[in-house]
C-alpha cells in the first residue's frame, strides 16, 4: 500500500485536486482512474527516459516504470494550475530504497481542466550526489 502525503495547495481548486489525483494515480498504478483522466492521444514525456503516445503506450510505459519497484510513499509538496496548464512537485520513495524528487507539468485538453492531453515528467534520484555540508 502506498502512503500518500498530500499538498495543502489544493484547497478550493478542483483543477489542483484533479492534477494531484493524477500524480497519485500514476504512483499507485491506478489505471482505471488514469484512463478516465487522460485523452486517448495522450503524450507522456519522461525526460531522459521515454516518450509515450496514446493510451496503449501510456499504460505499457506506466507498467514498465514501476515493475522493478513499487512506490512506497509519495509526498506532494506543491500543486499549481492556471488556464490549460498545471504542475506538481514532490518526492517518491520506492520499495527498493530509492528516492526521487520530481516535477510534473500537465497540459489540459480544455480550460476547464477535465482531461489531460500532455504530461512532461522530470525526476532526479535524491541520493545521486554527495550531501553538501
Amino acid at each position: 500500500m502506498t502512503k500518500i502525503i498530500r499538498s495543502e495547495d489544493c484547497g478550493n481548486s478542483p483543477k489542483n485536486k484533479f492534477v494531484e489525483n493524477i500524480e497519485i494515480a500514476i504512483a499507485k498504478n491506478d489505471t482505471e482512474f488514469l484512463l478516465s483522466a487522460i485523452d486517448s492521444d495522450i503524450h507522456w514525456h519522461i525526460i531522459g527516459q521515454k516518450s509515450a503516445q496514446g493510451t496503449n503506450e501510456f499504460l505499457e510505459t506506466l507498467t514498465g516504470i514501476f515493475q522493478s519497484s513499487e512506490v512506497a510513499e509519495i509526498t506532494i509538496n506543491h500543486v499549481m494550475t492556471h488556464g490549460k496548464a498545471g504542475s506538481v512537485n514532490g518526492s517518491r520513495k520506492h520499495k527498493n530504497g530509492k528516492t526521487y524528487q520530481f516535477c510534473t507539468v500537465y497540459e489540459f485538453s480544455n480550460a476547464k481542466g477535465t482531461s489531460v492531453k500532455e504530461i512532461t515528467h522530470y525526476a532526479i534520484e535524491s541520493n545521486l550526489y554527495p550531501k553538501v555540508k
Side-chain angles (χ1 to χ4, degrees), residues 36-109:
S36 73
I38 62 173
D39 286 357
S40 61
D41 63 342
I42 183 78
H43 196 177
W44 190 17
H45 309 276
I46 304 168
I47 303 304
Q49 296 291 322
K50 181 173 173 103
S51 240
Q53 182 80 41
T55 53
N56 288 339
E57 281 188 28
F58 178 87
L59 294 175
E60 287 171 14
T61 301
L62 182 65
T63 301
I65 287 174
F66 298 118
Q67 192 169 39
S68 62
S69 181
E70 292 179 49
V71 176
E73 178 179 307
I74 182 168
T75 301
I76 306 292
N77 294 329
H78 298 288
V79 181
M80 293 172 268
T81 58
H82 183 74
K84 290 177 72 175
S87 67
V88 177
N89 81 311
S91 63
R92 288 189 323 265
K93 294 179 183 176
H94 290 252
K95 290 184 179 179
N96 67 2
K98 292 186 178 185
T99 300
Y100 297 87
Q101 304 299 315
F102 70 85
C103 180
T104 310
V105 179
Y106 293 89
E107 185 177 344
F108 302 115
S109 303

Side-chain angles (χ1 to χ4, degrees), residues 13-22 33 37 108 113-116:
S13 171
K15 281 199 287 191
N16 280 14
K17 188 60 125 179
F18 180 59
V19 168
E20 181 181 58
N21 286 338
I22 294 171
F33 176 80
F108 302 115
T114 55
S115 184
V116 172

